[in-house]
Amino acid sequence: MKFINSKTLSTFLNFFMVVMLGFTIITLIGLPWIIRRYMSFICSDSFPQFDYYAILAILYVAGIFAAVILNALRKIFSTCKLDNPFIQDNVKNLRVISLASCIIGITFIFKTFIINSLMTIVVIFIFIVASLFALILSEVFEKAVKYKEDSDYTI
């Protein structure tokens, strides 16, 4: 028994990815001001410039690759809307998600040498697991694409 139409869910998730991508781009544009304001609030009037530029670089790398992940997810949900999720483009998009997640995880590993916190360790763990999950899912999708092509040729 279906509670929600899969096309409706895919359309909603696609729209949500576009909105999140927009917020990510806006945040990336305002990142220097956001970080400067945050660091002046946390560290009163004086804070090391090295920390500012290091955190800015780390967050730019993470933000850009988060935008890449959101765009790949948007593409995957677009194909789900068309009732054709098992295509080679989705395999490619899942591999892009895997690589981008791995890069974000590695970026936060470098962050542990600058400013370490428990949340940094959690973020590293989450993105490394997400990278492995997306890589395994891309392999499953690749097998499904092969089976689908074989099925299409036999009918």
Side-chain angles (χ1 to χ4, degrees):
M1 182 164 153
K2 284 180 133 179
F3 290 107
I4 189 165
N5 187 354
S6 64
K7 287 185 181 183
T8 305
L9 183 61
S10 295
T11 303
F12 170 74
L13 289 172
N14 194 9
F15 174 75
F16 184 69
M17 291 301 132
V18 170
V19 170
M20 292 299 294
L21 193 57
F23 281 135
T24 302
I25 291 169
I26 290 169
T27 303
L28 284 172
I29 291 169
L31 198 56
W33 297 282
I34 295 169
I35 297 302
R36 191 168 298 280
R37 175 72 107 179
Y38 175 75
M39 289 185 84
S40 67
F41 177 73
I42 294 298
C43 305
S44 71
D45 291 332
S46 64
F47 57 87
Q49 285 290 33
F50 173 75
D51 286 350
Y52 170 75
Y53 289 114
I55 289 174
L56 191 63
I58 287 167
L59 291 179
Y60 265 125
V61 170
I64 289 168
F65 284 103
V68 168
I69 291 170
L70 289 171
N71 190 44
L73 285 171
R74 183 191 59 79
K75 290 178 184 177
I76 290 172
F77 290 132
S78 293
T79 61
C80 290
K81 255 192 325 194
L82 303 173
D83 284 336
N84 193 16
F86 298 112
I87 57 173
Q88 197 63 36
D89 285 346
N90 284 350
V91 174
K92 185 185 121 211
N93 286 326
L94 285 167
R95 287 190 178 142
V96 166
I97 291 170
S98 176
L99 180 64
S101 296
C102 186
I103 290 171
I104 292 172
I106 291 169
T107 302
F108 275 88
I109 288 172
F110 287 126
K111 181 186 175 284
T112 60
F113 297 114
I114 299 167
I115 299 174
N116 194 9
S117 68
L118 180 63
M119 281 309 295
T120 302
I121 305 300
V122 171
V123 167
I124 292 168
F125 177 75
I126 287 171
F127 277 100
I128 297 298
V129 168
S131 176
L132 294 172
F133 178 74
L135 187 63
I136 292 169
L137 199 57
S138 74
E139 296 294 323
V140 170
F141 265 65
E142 191 167 37
K143 295 271 188 200
V145 167
K146 288 179 184 174
Y147 289 141
K148 182 180 173 278
E149 287 174 353
D150 288 345
S151 174
D152 289 345
Y153 290 137
T154 57
I155 293 178

